Structures are given as C-alpha cells and as structure tokens.
Amino acid sequence: QKRFFDMRRRHGKAMAGHRMVTTRLSRFSSPPHINNSPTIMKYTLRTAILVGAAACCASIANVSGFAPPIFVSHCGTSTTTSLRSDVATAAETDADTIRTDPKEAVKLFGRLAEKYIMLDASAGLCCYSACSDCEYREPGGGYRMADQSSARPKWIPCYDKREFESMGKEHTTKWSSEIFVDGPAVTKGEFVERVIGMGFAPPLGGPYMAASAAAIEDESAAATLFDVLAGEKEKLTRHRMGKEMKVLSNGEEGLTWAMFSEALGAK
C-alpha cells in the first residue's frame, strides 16, 4: 500500500510539472487564432518536443567538443591549382621570350643584309610583256623575278652561294664568306666575333643607324642570334644557318628586316 501511494505521489508531481511547462510554452508558442484546447495542447507539445530536441543536440555538441562539420570544396583547390599552373606557365613563357633592343638588332642586320639577292632562275625566261597566261605572274599582278637589287641592304639571303648558269650569274653571300672562313662550322664565340667584325651599312628597315654609330659594344644580341640559329647545338654549320633562315623567312629566299626583327624580338 505504501508503495502504491508513493507511485501516485510521483505521478502527481510529474503531471504538475507537465502542466506548468505546457502553460508557459502556450503563452509564447500558441497561435492566437487557435482557440480549442485539444489543438493548443497538440501544438504546445510539438513545440516542447522540438525545443527539447534542439537543446539536447546543443548540449551533446558542447559536451563532445566537436565543431560543426566543415565541407571543403575541391573546386576552389582545383581553381587555385589551375591558376598557379597558369601563372607558372606564363612566367616560363615570359622567361623564354626573346627581347632585343631594335638599335642593337639593326646593327646586326646592317652587317648581314645585302643589296642583291638571287631568287628564281626560271623567272629569267619571262619576256615581261604582260601575257594573260604568263606562268611567271604573281597573284597580285607582279612578276616572279630571277633576282632583285636595292639601293640599300634589304635582304639576308638564305643561301650561301647560288648560280644561274643560263643567265651567267653567280652570288656568294656576305655571311657565308665572312663568318665561315675556316670551315663549314663555327662556335658561338667565333660567330659573335666575326659578325661584330663585319662591315656595316645602313639597311632598309629598322631604326636608322649611321655607320659611325654602329659599333657593337654589347655582344648579347649577336649571341642571341647564334642561339636562334643553332638551337641547342654547340656549333653552327653553314648549312644549318641557311636552313634556319629559310624557316624564319617563311619559305622566302631572304630575310627582310620585318622577319629578322621578329626572330630577335626587336619591337
């Protein structure tokens, strides 16, 4: 019997506590437009459960000491890595870009360029009478020429020596005869020394440079030209120099100032 009364007493206290919580929560949580008691009780209990659950979660989080989960997006990392890669590539490209002072470049061009160039032996057969079906006419209306001359040095021929037997013409280039004097190949030091020692004439193209002001004191431009022509080779052969200049001239028979300056980054 005593046990029975103890159970009723505990049950009564629990109900009183429940009524107190319900009353307090109903003051703040009950919607004013709902007036029936069952609905109020249901709404109040649901709110109490939600509040209790939230408090319980907060308590557990505080006790356990774990921070809220942090979601790391790999997109940002990928973008950052890509950006760093682009910057590194741009830096490498910038480091590999050739830059030469145009005044130093024209000093070289004025030493290597010539007033005369031989082009196409077959073009010498043209009668230059403006024939409508002429095979020697250019698309723009001009003629393919066997050779050309200029008042000032204009071309660095891509050949070392050329001969047109049918026309009785022969030409040995300046660079071939003055650079490769001891044989078919030169070292970088020999190339630089011999180019600097060549005679200068104000060329057609580039900033004007008088012969009296064309002395080369800085050898870096000549050394750069050797690297452009020789690549990674320790020596530059006569054949390779002509071949590389042919590439730089886009297949033309000679390098003009525009082509030469572009190869050396002289802009």
Side-chain angles (χ1 to χ4, degrees), residues 63 69 177 195 247 251:
V63 171
S177 60
V195 168
V247 172

Side-chain angles (χ1 to χ4, degrees), residues 74-91:
H74 294 286
C75 296
T77 304
S78 177
T79 302
T80 303
T81 304
S82 176
L83 179 60
R84 291 176 180 173
S85 177
D86 291 344
V87 170
T89 302

Side-chain angles (χ1 to χ4, degrees), residues 155-185:
W155 310 274
I156 304 176
C158 297
Y159 55 86
D160 59 324
K161 182 179 180 180
R162 182 164 286 179
E163 182 180 359
F164 293 163
E165 294 182 0
S166 60
M167 301 176 62
K169 293 184 177 181
E170 181 180 333
H171 179 220
T172 300
T173 58
K174 185 180 178 183
W175 64 263
S176 176
S177 60
E178 297 190 29
I179 294 177
F180 300 93
V181 294
D182 298 328

Side-chain angles (χ1 to χ4, degrees), residues 130-226:
C131 302
S132 59
D133 59 345
C134 180
E135 61 179 303
Y136 304 107
R137 295 292 295 272
E138 299 287 354
Y143 290 94
R144 281 165 44 201
M145 308 296 293
D147 55 359
Q148 285 187 340
S149 298
S150 176
R152 290 162 61 183
K154 182 179 179 180
W155 310 274
I156 304 176
C158 297
Y159 55 86
D160 59 324
K161 182 179 180 180
R162 182 164 286 179
E163 182 180 359
F164 293 163
E165 294 182 0
S166 60
M167 301 176 62
K169 293 184 177 181
E170 181 180 333
H171 179 220
T172 300
T173 58
K174 185 180 178 183
W175 64 263
S176 176
S177 60
E178 297 190 29
I179 294 177
F180 300 93
V181 294
D182 298 328
V186 293
T187 63
K188 189 173 186 177
E190 292 170 340
F191 178 86
V192 171
E193 180 183 359
R194 291 171 187 177
V195 168
I196 291 176
M198 295 173 70
F200 174 87
L204 190 63
Y208 179 78
M209 180 76 61
S212 59
I216 297 179
E217 298 178 356
D218 184 359
E219 300 179 355
S220 59
T224 298
L225 179 59
F226 177 89

Side-chain angles (χ1 to χ4, degrees), residues 5-235:
F5 284 114
D6 289 341
M7 289 178 63
R8 289 191 61 180
R9 191 181 302 109
R10 286 197 296 270
H11 179 69
K13 290 182 179 180
M15 290 300 295
H18 173 72
R19 283 194 296 272
M20 184 179 297
V21 171
T22 302
T23 303
R24 290 181 179 178
L25 289 175
S26 64
R27 293 177 183 177
F28 300 97
S29 305
S30 300
H33 61 282
I34 300 177
N35 297 319
N36 51 0
S37 297
T39 304
I40 293 175
M41 179 63 70
K42 183 178 181 180
Y43 185 88
T44 303
L45 289 175
R46 186 176 62 181
T47 305
I49 292 171
L50 292 176
V51 171
C56 180
C57 293
S59 176
I60 293 173
N62 290 334
V63 171
S64 64
F66 287 102
I70 299 175
F71 298 96
V72 180
S73 172
H74 294 286
C75 296
T77 304
S78 177
T79 302
T80 303
T81 304
S82 176
L83 179 60
R84 291 176 180 173
S85 177
D86 291 344
V87 170
T89 302
E92 292 176 1
T93 302
D94 186 67
D96 294 337
T97 300
I98 299 174
R99 292 188 178 88
T100 306
D101 185 343
K103 292 183 178 180
E104 295 300 320
V106 82
K107 291 178 182 180
L108 299 177
F109 188 72
R111 284 169 164 78
L112 298 167
E114 303 190 39
K115 298 179 181 181
Y116 178 73
I117 188 171
M118 297 180 74
L119 303 173
D120 184 358
S122 64
L125 303 176
C126 181
C127 65
Y128 302 107
S129 299
C131 302
S132 59
D133 59 345
C134 180
E135 61 179 303
Y136 304 107
R137 295 292 295 272
E138 299 287 354
Y143 290 94
R144 281 165 44 201
M145 308 296 293
D147 55 359
Q148 285 187 340
S149 298
S150 176
R152 290 162 61 183
K154 182 179 179 180
W155 310 274
I156 304 176
C158 297
Y159 55 86
D160 59 324
K161 182 179 180 180
R162 182 164 286 179
E163 182 180 359
F164 293 163
E165 294 182 0
S166 60
M167 301 176 62
K169 293 184 177 181
E170 181 180 333
H171 179 220
T172 300
T173 58
K174 185 180 178 183
W175 64 263
S176 176
S177 60
E178 297 190 29
I179 294 177
F180 300 93
V181 294
D182 298 328
V186 293
T187 63
K188 189 173 186 177
E190 292 170 340
F191 178 86
V192 171
E193 180 183 359
R194 291 171 187 177
V195 168
I196 291 176
M198 295 173 70
F200 174 87
L204 190 63
Y208 179 78
M209 180 76 61
S212 59
I216 297 179
E217 298 178 356
D218 184 359
E219 300 179 355
S220 59
T224 298
L225 179 59
F226 177 89
D227 293 336
V228 169
L229 297 173
E232 298 180 356
K233 302 290 185 180
E234 293 183 359
K235 289 188 176 183

